[in-house]
Amino acid sequence: QVQLGESGGGLVQAGGSLRLSCAASGGTFSNYAMGWFRQAPGKERECVGAINWSGRSSYYADSVKDRFTISRDNAKNTVYLQMNSLKSEDTAVYYCAARINYGTWSSFSYAYDYWGQGTQVTVSS
């Protein structure tokens, strides 16, 4: 059983930055891929970033490329999402997810096995 807990969300002005963290417990963190997803009211959940087991391969949605950075610290069992130049359209609940049977990332939510409870990010314009 894997448990995930996000932190770092909050209210920020447009153009500002936030760093989300997701701490994992259970399983072997360094073996599995991780993803960050978000869901805004009335919209489908979308993958904003994903990272493979080693951290050497990652994916970004076009909407966040060059603004968001995903990284991981396997010694701390933690994955991060650094969000810069935030826009009002980034407002959403952000979730981290673990893909425990594969070390390679996926941008599809159905590929992930465990989810955190989510953290709210609100960007004011």
Side-chain angles (χ1 to χ4, degrees), residues 2 4 24 32-35 96-101 111-116:
V2 173
L4 304 173
Y32 48 83
M34 297 293 296
C96 67
R99 192 178 191 217
I100 63 169
N101 291 318
Y112 290 81
D113 307 290
Y114 293 94
W115 294 80

Side-chain angles (χ1 to χ4, degrees), residues 10 14 16 19-20 27 31 35 46 51 59 64 70 72-73 79 81 89 97 104 107 120 125:
R19 187 174 84 153
L20 305 183
N31 285 352
E46 65 167 338
I51 192 166
Y59 158 86
V64 306
I70 189 170
R72 65 189 296 159
D73 186 337
V79 63
L81 186 68
E89 51 262 45
T104 54
S107 63
Q120 176 71 46
S125 55

Side-chain angles (χ1 to χ4, degrees), residues 53-66:
W53 66 276
S54 68
R56 288 196 282 267
S57 175
S58 57
Y59 158 86
Y60 295 98
D62 286 343
S63 58
V64 306
K65 208 168 288 185
D66 298 327

